Amino acid sequence: METVKSQMPADRMILIQTEAAKRLIDNLRDHGAGDDAELVADSIEGQTNLVEAIEEALSEIDECEILIVGLNEKIKAFDARKNMQKDRAERIRALIEQALVATDQKSMKLAAATISLATRAPALVVETEADIPARFWIEQERPAPKLDKKALTEALKANEAVPGATLDNGSVSLTVRRR
């Protein structure tokens, strides 16, 4: 049959041509020639467009794989841009925090938002887990117990000296409420 690039999607074309080939094989079997593999293959090639449909489908698979590679590269580029914007926003937020701290401002009302500084409670800093007493560990199935950070933090807040752990000095957090 004549090779003509079909306007039909490759998957639909394969289904149609597969059905045509199955009917052809059934017809050959009805006439006693269904066991001749060479005749069957030649008949499918000569009387259907199955081979062309499969070749077109393979080309479409190649195009899909090329697009996947390209899209993965675009995703990487967009992720890099997204991360740059996140970093930039964090730097700007830190500069605003520094400006408020340097000027002894706890809050500021602006046209677009109200900004304020909140002091965060000191957070747990585990310096050496091996030095932390057993009472701050939660028993678990093997392989190892889990550190009870809540109990450890409470003990340190109660001014108990615990080897291997301290509290940091707390931090300042910028809150932005948009109007």
Side-chain angles (χ1 to χ4, degrees):
M1 296 205 111
E2 187 176 314
T3 304
V4 176
K5 180 132 170 100
S6 172
Q7 297 301 317
M8 189 179 302
D11 52 348
R12 176 104 171 102
M13 184 58 113
I14 288 176
L15 289 173
I16 291 170
Q17 294 304 317
T18 299
E19 286 302 316
K22 284 173 28 182
R23 284 192 306 272
L24 180 64
I25 292 169
D26 288 342
N27 191 17
L28 288 171
R29 283 190 182 132
D30 290 345
H31 290 87
D35 292 336
D36 185 349
E38 190 174 327
L39 176 63
V40 170
D42 289 344
S43 297
I44 289 172
E45 186 175 344
Q47 296 183 31
T48 71
N49 286 328
L50 183 60
V51 172
E52 291 83 1
I54 291 173
E55 287 176 348
E56 191 173 322
L58 289 174
S59 292
E60 194 168 318
I61 289 171
D62 290 344
E63 288 177 29
C64 290
E65 289 173 351
I66 289 167
L67 285 172
I68 289 168
V69 169
L71 289 170
N72 282 335
E73 289 303 312
K74 274 294 191 189
I75 288 169
K76 287 179 192 173
F78 281 134
D79 281 343
R81 288 179 69 183
K82 179 179 77 173
N83 290 334
M84 284 178 12
Q85 292 304 315
K86 279 183 178 180
D87 292 346
R88 184 170 188 261
E90 288 175 17
R91 283 192 311 273
I92 293 170
R93 180 179 282 278
L95 288 171
I96 293 171
E97 288 175 9
Q98 289 173 7
L100 291 175
V101 169
T103 59
D104 290 328
Q105 302 292 309
K106 293 286 184 195
S107 67
M108 190 178 284
K109 291 184 181 187
L110 306 168
T114 299
I115 57 174
S116 58
L117 291 179
T119 304
R120 291 188 179 160
L124 174 64
V125 177
V126 176
E127 295 167 345
T128 312
E129 281 190 0
D131 292 342
I132 296 174
R135 70 184 180 110
F136 295 109
W137 291 90
I138 299 170
E139 283 298 321
Q140 290 185 322
E141 290 183 32
R142 294 285 173 216
K146 176 183 170 188
L147 184 61
D148 186 351
K149 291 183 178 181
K150 183 178 179 184
L152 183 54
T153 301
E154 288 173 6
L156 290 169
K157 283 182 179 179
N159 293 325
E160 184 178 333
V162 179
T166 61
L167 292 175
D168 66 14
N169 292 331
S171 62
V172 175
S173 168
L174 180 66
T175 302
V176 178
R177 280 182 251 133
R178 305 241 180 231
R179 297 180 197 268

